[in-house]
Amino acid sequence: DQIVRFARWMLLPDDTQYGTWEKCAKEFEALSGRLDDGNPSPIGLVYVSARETKEIWQNHQVLAYGYREPDAETLELLIYDPNYPLRDDVLVRSRRVSIPAADPEQPLLSGLQSEQWVGDKRVKPVRGFFGMPYMPVEPPGDL
């Protein structure tokens, strides 16, 4: 259930092993494959932490339809956000970051620290994002 998934992500820290940043790097790997195949994908945006609020509805769902990598440190998910209708300049901009492993003998892990942007304006931090299931349904032919 996706509501439970949002709640679990709200409980996670950001910048540790098994935190939201590390999970985003893994989520992007799966998401980029779908986008490379031309399949837009709904994603959940986790804006808030359970330490701040229990209001799960402060998170959001958008549609990712592409991505770009302007440089080696930056990743941009192109999204349609229903809160900004008719805009094609909304994105989640992520910076690649290193995260220490729980075991100091292990190498650093990869993570994504993200923010949502509309045009050239930073709207808000995004603690994390994850792909959501979607099953297309053909509309009835008599519509």
Side-chain angles (χ1 to χ4, degrees), residues 55-116:
E55 297 173 347
I56 198 167
W57 55 88
Q58 288 194 30
N59 299 301
H60 195 35
Q61 184 179 11
V62 298
L63 183 69
Y65 61 87
Y67 70 93
R68 59 187 175 222
E69 298 181 62
D71 58 56
E73 301 302 315
T74 309
L75 167 71
E76 295 176 341
L77 279 176
L78 309 176
I79 61 171
Y80 173 75
D81 185 333
N83 289 340
Y84 302 97
L86 304 177
R87 304 261 332 225
D88 65 355
D89 60 350
V90 184
L91 55 89
V92 173
R93 181 172 292 145
S94 300
R95 183 174 57 91
R96 288 183 167 85
V97 293
S98 296
I99 300 168
D103 177 355
E105 299 294 318
Q106 297 296 317
L108 293 173
L109 304 167
S110 296
L112 294 174
Q113 182 181 12
S114 305
E115 303 170 320
Q116 186 171 353

Side-chain angles (χ1 to χ4, degrees), residues 27-77:
E27 286 288 327
F28 176 72
E29 293 305 316
L31 180 61
S32 64
R34 291 194 297 273
L35 295 173
D36 287 342
D37 289 341
N39 296 311
S41 296
I43 60 172
L45 298 180
V46 180
Y47 291 136
V48 296
S49 166
R51 291 180 299 282
E52 302 164 13
T53 182
K54 304 294 186 239
E55 297 173 347
I56 198 167
W57 55 88
Q58 288 194 30
N59 299 301
H60 195 35
Q61 184 179 11
V62 298
L63 183 69
Y65 61 87
Y67 70 93
R68 59 187 175 222
E69 298 181 62
D71 58 56
E73 301 302 315
T74 309
L75 167 71
E76 295 176 341
L77 279 176

